[in-house]
Amino acid sequence: MRKVTVAATQMSISWDIKANIKKAEEMVRKAAKKGANIILLQELFMTPYFCQKEKYEYFDLAIDNIYESDFYKTFSSLAKELNVVIPLSFFEKCGVAYYNSLVVIDADGNSLGLYRKTHIPTGECYEEKFYFTPGDTGFKVFSSKFGKIGIGICWDQWFVETARILTLKGAEILFFPTAIGSEPILPIDSSTHWQNVMCGHAAGNIIPVVASNRIGKEEETNSSMTFYGSSFIANEEGSKVEEMNKVEEGFITHTFDLDEINKKRRDWGIFRDRRPDTYKEILKQDASK
């Protein structure tokens, strides 16, 4: 028996960076007090979602050396103090390249390494290709004090390949920090679709999934987005076991027995019966040819 309690946070963000960091710190403390071992904060929570518009001045928000930053040191000290694991999302500058990145801080306060977002979206209010270079780290699994965790960042979560590769690499839980909300052009609320895709990853790979999203209305010049929250935790069968609504700040927690889930994944036979030799078409842009 190897039990771990995970948490997903959900909060609104302003241009008061110190207040955002303080709010996130308080969320982590409250979740830890409730027994959480691994605490997921949302994507790029240090600032509003600046990718709504293409503005060159926003490149100045990037952190050049994450390990020397006060931002990292704050959460590194917090992780050590509370004995928790914190996947920490940030805007990274590395040489002449800029990335949507995440560093995983283990429960002793030390870094387990860096992941850079693989899939970079573009579109009205999601102008990420203007800011971010596609990640060069590949999909990564981090061996933390409380289990092996796989990380994907926002748009990564829509791709079945992300979840499958992370599980094949040994992940025991998948974590997806997110910033998603209203679609200014498409007349849809994608929150149910968003959740269903990740619940499918959980069921298809027999692995728990944790997703953290922001809430609130954020405005830019001639643009605004309302982020729809709906942060949730799904079990290894794809059922939502915890969920937040679209407007509340706070966090949710759930406890999993990783040993039992690993046995279930083994016994179900999905990975035993895979046929990678027949999957070559997946590497083609157009498999019909």
Side-chain angles (χ1 to χ4, degrees):
M1 182 180 295
R2 186 161 50 98
K3 290 189 175 182
V4 60
T5 299
V6 298
T9 64
Q10 182 168 288
M11 58 189 184
S12 61
I13 297 297
S14 73
W15 278 110
D16 187 337
I17 292 176
K18 289 184 179 179
N20 296 334
I21 293 172
K22 180 66 174 177
K23 186 187 292 188
E25 182 180 355
E26 290 173 355
M27 289 269 191
V28 170
R29 289 188 179 279
K30 290 177 181 178
K33 188 174 182 179
K34 196 173 178 181
N37 306 120
I38 306 173
I39 302 168
L40 182 63
L41 294 160
Q42 61 212 41
E43 180 187 22
L44 299 174
F45 68 86
M46 195 170 75
T47 68
Y49 183 70
F50 55 86
C51 306
Q52 282 193 58
K53 285 293 183 179
E54 298 181 0
K55 292 186 177 181
Y56 290 103
E57 58 264 36
Y58 285 159
F59 283 106
D60 295 336
L61 297 170
I63 297 174
D64 194 7
N65 187 327
I66 185 63
Y67 300 112
E68 294 181 359
S69 69
D70 290 338
F71 181 63
Y72 173 81
K73 291 175 182 178
T74 294
F75 288 94
S76 172
S77 297
L78 188 63
K80 183 176 181 179
E81 175 193 343
L82 301 176
N83 190 38
V84 297
V85 175
I86 304 174
L88 188 68
S89 171
F90 69 102
F91 183 18
E92 179 192 13
K93 181 181 184 296
C94 181
V96 296
Y98 292 79
Y99 298 98
N100 187 334
S101 300
L102 182 146
V103 61
V104 178
I105 305 172
D106 207 358
D108 60 2
N110 292 320
S111 167
L112 292 176
L114 188 75
Y115 169 68
R116 291 171 174 155
K117 188 172 181 177
T118 300
H119 303 95
I120 309 298
T122 191
E124 189 76 18
C125 287
Y126 295 99
E127 301 289 350
E128 294 198 17
K129 278 188 168 67
F130 177 78
Y131 294 100
F132 307 131
T133 298
D136 59 359
T137 60
F139 298 112
K140 297 183 71 172
V141 171
F142 301 89
S143 295
S144 77
K145 177 177 180 179
F146 300 108
K148 296 179 180 179
I149 63 176
I151 306 285
I153 301 174
C154 201
W155 195 227
D156 288 335
Q157 69 206 180
W158 290 85
F159 294 83
V160 295
E161 295 86 353
T162 301
R164 177 50 55 95
I165 291 171
L166 288 172
T167 309
L168 286 169
K169 282 177 170 273
E172 297 176 297
I173 308 175
L174 302 182
F175 292 87
F176 294 112
T178 304
I180 190 171
S182 57
E183 301 288 344
I185 294 178
L186 299 174
I188 59 172
D189 177 344
S190 64
S191 58
T192 299
H193 187 183
W194 173 71
Q195 289 186 340
N196 285 346
V197 167
M198 285 180 280
C199 287
H201 296 334
N205 293 286
I206 310 181
I207 189 170
V209 166
V210 183
S212 170
N213 190 22
R214 64 176 66 197
I215 58 168
K217 186 176 183 179
E218 297 182 12
E219 295 185 311
E220 274 288 348
T221 306
N222 300 318
S223 177
S224 70
M225 290 182 67
T226 300
F227 294 90
Y228 54 56
S230 305
S231 302
F232 72 99
I233 300 170
N235 68 13
E236 72 280 4
E237 296 178 355
S239 298
K240 288 183 290 184
V241 290
E242 308 290 345
E243 182 179 7
M244 299 191 74
N245 65 30
K246 295 183 179 183
V247 297
E248 66 181 324
E249 287 192 321
F251 65 92
I252 47 178
T253 64
H254 195 82
T255 301
F256 294 103
D257 186 332
L258 298 185
D259 286 338
E260 285 301 311
I261 293 172
N262 289 342
K263 288 178 183 177
K264 183 183 293 186
R265 188 183 309 111
R266 177 199 67 190
D267 296 348
W268 198 247
I270 287 176
F271 290 89
R272 177 198 64 206
D273 296 337
R274 290 181 68 246
R275 291 288 309 280
D277 56 309
T278 69
Y279 304 156
K280 295 176 183 178
E281 284 80 4
I282 202 170
L283 298 175
K284 300 178 180 179
Q285 283 290 91
D286 184 355
S288 67
K289 296 179 180 179

